[in-house]
Amino acid sequence: QVQLVESGGGSAEPGGSLRLSCTANFTLDYYAIGWFRQAPGKEREGVACISGSGVTTYAGPVKGRFIVSRDNAKNTAYLQMNSLLREDTAVYYCAAEVNLGSLESPMCLDAQAQASRVPTADYWGRGTQVTVSS
């Protein structure tokens, strides 16, 4: 059974940092990995994405604060979240989309545009809660 599992969520104070991980039980080499979040009462929105070739994209609200990366040897992607704001509080999900070679990732375009619908994602994790409060 294909699985994506998020971890690393928790509580942080404003200005603090957290690092989320997204680990797959399959080879991630040919997948783009996107990070999305859903705050209470709001639609899911894109946050950041890394293509199969390593190109990164970010939604406006997190640009300059969050960093997405991947370690294919560990079948894991990461979201380093710095300078956290209260409005970053949400359940964070990772998603995987088949993305071969240097092809542009439709999912990464959706993440950058903070899209709520991501029709090209092939797999989703169950999410991890991030709470930013003082």
Side-chain angles (χ1 to χ4, degrees):
Q1 183 179 358
V2 170
Q3 275 191 324
L4 286 173
V5 179
E6 302 93 340
S7 61
S11 296
E13 293 186 347
S17 298
L18 284 172
R19 187 176 82 156
L20 306 183
S21 298
C22 171
T23 301
N25 66 350
F26 55 95
T27 300
L28 283 181
D29 292 33
Y30 304 113
Y31 287 84
I33 302 298
W35 287 95
F36 300 82
R37 67 186 181 186
Q38 187 165 19
K42 294 187 177 181
E43 286 193 332
R44 183 178 61 196
E45 64 178 10
V47 176
C49 191
I50 184 165
S51 72
S53 61
V55 175
T56 58
T57 55
Y58 299 92
V62 307
K63 203 168 186 179
R65 299 189 296 122
F66 291 10
I67 301 170
V68 60
S69 62
R70 63 191 299 155
D71 184 342
N72 287 347
K74 296 182 179 179
N75 294 326
T76 299
Y78 303 96
L79 184 68
Q80 177 67 42
M81 304 187 295
N82 302 318
S83 302
L84 284 165
L85 306 172
R86 287 183 175 83
E87 48 263 45
D88 294 320
T89 295
V91 177
Y92 283 72
Y93 301 89
C94 65
E97 170 206 68
V98 173
N99 181 227
L100 303 178
S102 60
L103 293 176
E104 194 170 51
S105 162
M107 181 178 70
C108 286
L109 293 177
D110 285 337
Q112 187 177 37
Q114 297 180 262
S116 59
R117 292 187 68 249
V118 189
T120 60
D122 294 292
Y123 307 111
W124 287 89
R126 293 189 173 186
T128 185
Q129 176 71 46
V130 170
T131 302
V132 184
S133 65
S134 55

